[in-house]
Amino acid sequence: MRKKLLTLFLSTLYLSAFTFGGGYVIVTLMRKKFVGQLHWIEEDEMLDLIAIAQSAPGAIAVNGAIVVGYKIAGLLGVFVAVIGTIIPPFTIISLISVIYEIIKTNTVVALMLQGMQAGVGAVIASVCFEMGAGILKEKTIIYPVIMVGSFVANYIFNVNIVIVILSCIGIGLISAFIKTKGSEQS
């Protein structure tokens, strides 16, 4: 168990330290690490964990660490994964705050950040594609309908994202209830 906790800590520390661009970027890296390399979590289960992390309030990187840590090692896994996830940004932000006045007008730093934005956009597009492809593999029509409906509601009709999320939660709960009732009757 100690070796697993150490691996969990080092993995989340590493992912957090080298992830630029926010929580959605870390999602694909967590998937590669915990599904592809370590084989601790199944692909469809990772999609469920990511959905939970995205639905909960707060930073998706920390939420992701919570759900993955809990899945892997219970409450101790949550603690280890969260500590591993928050150490790098806390350290980096602390250091940057000390030297911010010096670097805020530096042209090289500004150009570097612009370049990182382009890379982050590509990674986020990759995450959306991979998650969408995983959802489309399901043998039900409800998930693609929810994906397209959510996009259309928010992007075309400018429906508030909170309403879209709450609607998706409601549809998911109804779908799960119907699926549970159907399996009980079989």
Side-chain angles (χ1 to χ4, degrees):
M1 182 62 141
R2 275 188 172 172
K3 185 177 179 185
K4 192 176 229 181
L5 288 172
L6 180 62
T7 303
L8 178 63
F9 175 77
L10 293 175
S11 297
T12 55
L13 183 77
Y14 174 81
L15 292 173
S16 184
F18 296 103
T19 301
F20 294 95
Y24 291 104
V25 177
I26 203 169
V27 166
T28 190
L29 298 175
M30 287 178 115
R31 189 184 137 278
K32 286 178 184 175
K33 185 68 170 180
F34 298 116
V35 175
Q37 292 177 0
L38 296 173
H39 306 290
W40 286 351
I41 302 173
E42 297 295 321
E43 180 77 34
D44 58 338
E45 194 173 21
M46 188 66 185
L47 285 172
D48 292 341
L49 295 175
I50 291 167
I52 292 167
Q54 289 175 328
S55 300
I60 191 168
V62 175
N63 292 345
I66 290 169
V67 294
V68 167
Y70 187 78
K71 166 65 181 147
I72 293 169
L75 291 177
L76 189 55
V78 169
F79 179 75
V80 167
V82 168
I83 294 299
T85 301
I86 64 172
I87 287 174
F90 179 77
T91 305
I92 291 167
I93 290 171
S94 297
L95 292 173
I96 289 174
S97 69
V98 171
I99 62 168
Y100 178 72
E101 288 300 319
I102 299 168
I103 65 169
K104 75 178 181 180
T105 58
N106 187 311
T107 305
V108 174
V109 171
L111 292 172
M112 181 182 73
L113 292 173
Q114 285 179 340
M116 288 170 62
Q117 285 177 347
V120 166
V123 172
I124 290 173
S126 171
V127 169
C128 291
F129 177 77
E130 289 177 11
M131 288 178 65
I135 289 170
L136 292 175
K137 289 179 186 174
E138 296 287 327
K139 294 186 182 346
T140 180
I141 192 72
I142 190 86
Y143 302 128
V145 169
I146 290 172
M147 280 181 6
V148 172
S150 298
F151 176 78
V152 169
N154 183 257
Y155 187 74
I156 295 175
F157 296 111
N158 294 319
V159 175
N160 187 308
I161 193 66
V162 173
I163 295 169
V164 173
I165 291 170
L166 292 175
S167 299
C168 290
I169 290 170
I171 293 168
L173 288 172
I174 292 168
S175 174
F177 179 74
I178 291 171
K179 195 181 289 186
T180 302
K181 285 293 183 187
S183 65
E184 286 177 2
Q185 293 176 355
S186 297

